[in-house]
Amino acid sequence: SAGPGEEAIVERCDPDHRHPSVAGRLDLAQLWHLLAQAALVAAPDTGVAHLARTTSTPNRAMSASVIAT
């Protein structure tokens, strides 16, 4: 969900900074406003996806099954 302390994870996903990032910079209210202004939210099934559902923004939460080996 790119909250405080997860900036390094986002950095590894986009080391060339081709996409803007607000990782670790938004409080809950600011994140809600960002999601509310989006055309679409596609997110892992995390708090961000649940928060997106409280806006009128079209959204899809993605989940993955974990298989123990």
Side-chain angles (χ1 to χ4, degrees):
S1 59
E6 295 180 342
E7 298 88 347
I9 296 169
V10 174
E11 172 70 23
R12 286 194 304 270
C13 292
D14 184 22
D16 297 327
H17 302 153
R18 295 185 319 170
H19 307 284
S21 172
V22 292
R25 297 185 208 164
L26 302 180
D27 62 26
L28 191 59
Q30 291 169 320
L31 178 57
W32 186 93
H33 284 283
L34 179 68
L35 296 171
Q37 295 172 20
L40 171 70
V41 175
D45 191 11
T46 65
V48 172
H50 296 281
L51 189 60
R53 287 188 196 116
T54 69
T55 71
S56 59
T57 303
N59 61 80
R60 295 292 177 260
M62 299 169 278
S63 60
S65 298
V66 177
I67 300 172
T69 58

